[in-house]
Amino acid sequence: FVSRSARVIILGRVKDESWVGLNDEEISVGSDGYFTVDINLNKGLNVIKLEARKRYGRGKVEYRRIVVE
């Protein structure tokens, strides 16, 4: 993804009291399962790691690459 803005907003939803992390830091999730995170990006390539884990289950990791012009 290529952006001219140095700021991005990530929105998401998880189920069943999942733990959510962004670049290995925990994200606050509302009681309805929704979360929102504002991220300031650096010029050039930015790699964002988004992770979700169920309370007693396996997790899933997604990487997103954003280039800021």
Side-chain angles (χ1 to χ4, degrees), residues 10-14 19-25 27 35 39 46-53 58-66:
I10 296 180
L11 310 167
R13 181 175 169 248
V14 292
W19 178 89
V20 180
L22 179 71
N23 295 334
D24 297 322
E25 292 186 28
I27 296 173
F35 62 89
I39 301 174
N46 296 266
V47 179
I48 298 172
K49 176 184 175 185
L50 186 61
E51 181 178 9
R53 279 185 267 149
R58 295 185 342 180
K60 183 171 183 176
V61 177
E62 295 278 336
Y63 291 92
R64 295 290 183 251
R65 289 164 179 79
I66 302 173

Side-chain angles (χ1 to χ4, degrees), residues 1-9 41-44 46 65-69:
F1 180 75
V2 178
S3 175
R4 292 180 186 214
S5 175
R7 181 177 162 215
V8 68
I9 299 172
L41 303 171
N42 298 314
K43 191 169 185 171
N46 296 266
R65 289 164 179 79
I66 302 173
V67 177
V68 177
E69 295 182 324

Side-chain angles (χ1 to χ4, degrees), residues 26-49:
E26 186 173 7
I27 296 173
S28 177
V29 178
S31 59
D32 57 359
Y34 286 92
F35 62 89
T36 303
V37 181
D38 287 337
I39 301 174
N40 292 316
L41 303 171
N42 298 314
K43 191 169 185 171
L45 177 64
N46 296 266
V47 179
I48 298 172
K49 176 184 175 185

